[in-house]
Amino acid sequence: MLQQRRQISLIQLLMGLYFVICSIRHCRSEVYTALADMEELLETETVLISNLEGFIKVEQEKLDYLKTKMQEYQREHAEAAMDVTAYVSNPINAYLLTKRLTTDWKQVENLMAHDVGAEFLRNISNYRNVLKFPSEEDLNGAAVALMRLQDTYNLDTSSLARGELNGVQYSTEMSSDDCFELGRQSYVNHDYYHTVLWMNEAMTRMSYEPRNRSLAFSKADILEYLAFSTYKQGDVESALSMTNELLQLLPTHERANGNKVYYEKELKELSAKKKVKGDDGSDETPKSDLPIAKAEPSVYDYTERKAYELLCQGKLKPTPEQLRPLRCRYVDNNVPFLKIGPMKLEEASKDPYIVIFHDAMYDSEIEIIKKMARPRFRRATVQNAITGELETANYRISKSAWLRTEEHDIIANIVQRTEDMTGLDMLSAEELQVVNYGIGGHYEPHFDFARREEIRAFQGLNTGNRIATVLFYMSDVEQGGATVFTAINTALKPKKGTAAFWYNLHRSGDGDYRTRHAACPVLTGSKWVSNKWIHEARQEFRRPCDLEPDHAEFAI
């Protein structure tokens, strides 16, 4: 009976697995870079939970059976112990005792030795070949994303650990294990600032969690991370104090003893103001045996960074003088079709000219575009300014796909609508790019146009520079995800169905550096956008050059 139940449970599990597998793509790379991929991880978890339930069930049935047999044997043994001679004198009892110690016990022994959960363990190995599992890179990317959100939106560590985002409770609290892993991932990335924040949070949470809870780390582990990270931030005195505390717990800790000597020596030298670190020729610097990845430098300076963060937080806005002349109106651009149903236009900036078109894409179109894009998603790339080659970068976290105009009538309609909205020719435009942002997905400040030194940009297209950008918002975003222009203190909040439009170039053909923009990290929600980059070719009569320079940089 037990074996039959196991077989039925396994068949049901495999049938469920079959249907899940049929609906899952086999792409495995960088799931943290698009929430569309992250959704599939829940399907993976569903299968694993079902497998674990099956494992627990057969193990429990095995234990229940063994417990029943044990109780049966205990009753018989207790009865026999009351009068051993009388018990064994009964031929039936003698037979049953002999049977229990031969046939019955052999069955019990076989069942005890049989690993009833082995098939479920093999299932987990097999699932890795067919289901989507995150990698170590995904774990690190997800941790970095949380740190990015923490910094950009100025989130308190304790609040974030409680599952609060800007005062809104979204999820359950993190455990000390969760916080410790965040600190460890930050350490691996040379991010000692966040290492200290999250190791301290892990220490705090460990102090009030149940003491019998099994942890993969100890207080000494936290102190080791804290001491070295604090030292790397320049606080040698605190590093020494934490190292001494660590040595009280583990007096023979080899690395801690070596670091203690170094810290004491450095403090002595600092107090005497005779030497600075490294001048004494000693190579006995504080040691850490964990792998450390190379940190990627930021692509923008501190002033712009602060403007970017304040814009994302909604704390930096255009001045009243900038807002006063902005208007909303209906436009038809002399397009016969739009004269029947004009577009609703909202000005976001007069100079540079940035506008938002409302009802520029419909829900039915959005769903078709998403469906077409999902199977093609790849990690979004940026162009290397020197080589012109496309490459991935940590300052752009998303996945994208390209849809050709001729693939579907919906795409053709959107391209035609873009031409009607902008008055520009679409034959020189790039294909429609669809983007889904990942955990904390963002794109740091950048230009859409190529600068003069980027001589290899767009060389294969032969259509000139990117004259304009149209950005369609295909989803609402609960918190974050705004498009911000750091030079003019302007932020565009995603609204499903709207489209932002701006010129990247002056009429002279020179780049308008005021259009430098960024995609703020997505705090909560999923951000879907699509864009058309329109090039200079065929725009000679649509947007002709002026005889005089149209911007101050080139005015005489």
Side-chain angles (χ1 to χ4, degrees), residues 484-556:
V484 297
F485 294 80
T486 53
I488 57 174
N489 297 343
T490 296
L492 310 180
K493 182 174 175 57
K495 181 181 178 183
K496 190 177 183 181
T498 61
F501 168 70
W502 64 88
Y503 284 106
N504 296 303
L505 306 179
H506 293 287
R507 285 184 178 271
S508 63
D510 293 297
D512 189 340
Y513 285 80
R514 297 169 301 173
T515 62
R516 186 166 166 88
H517 59 286
C520 294
V522 178
L523 188 54
T524 56
S526 181
K527 182 181 177 182
W528 285 81
V529 299
S530 58
N531 60 272
K532 288 289 284 186
W533 281 309
I534 306 168
H535 286 249
E536 293 175 289
R538 301 181 65 90
Q539 314 303 343
E540 295 83 358
F541 298 103
R542 305 264 183 146
R543 195 201 188 208
C545 296
D546 279 346
L547 294 177
E548 298 295 332
D550 61 336
H551 52 293
E553 299 102 294
F554 296 93
I556 298 176

Side-chain angles (χ1 to χ4, degrees), residues 286-353:
K287 294 181 177 62
S288 175
D289 61 351
L290 291 175
I292 295 179
K294 181 181 178 181
E296 186 164 335
S298 177
V299 296
Y300 52 111
D301 62 27
Y302 177 79
T303 302
E304 186 177 34
R305 171 78 195 185
K306 292 308 297 180
Y308 166 65
E309 291 179 351
L310 291 173
L311 284 165
C312 291
Q313 296 169 24
K315 296 179 179 179
L316 186 60
K317 298 179 180 180
T319 64
E321 290 75 16
Q322 291 174 297
L323 294 173
R324 192 172 297 117
L326 302 182
R327 298 289 182 268
C328 295
R329 63 182 183 275
Y330 288 97
V331 295
D332 58 39
N333 292 338
N334 290 321
V335 176
F337 182 78
L338 292 186
K339 288 183 180 296
I340 302 172
M343 298 292 296
K344 291 179 281 189
L345 180 148
E346 175 188 350
E347 294 177 341
S349 171
K350 280 287 190 181
D351 189 25
Y353 193 60

Side-chain angles (χ1 to χ4, degrees), residues 24-25 27-28 31 37 40-41 44 127 130-134:
I24 294 182
R25 300 199 320 272
C27 176
R28 294 166 173 268
V31 296
D37 286 340
E40 293 183 18
L41 296 187
T44 298
Y127 294 159
V130 292
L131 297 179
K132 178 171 287 186
F133 278 81

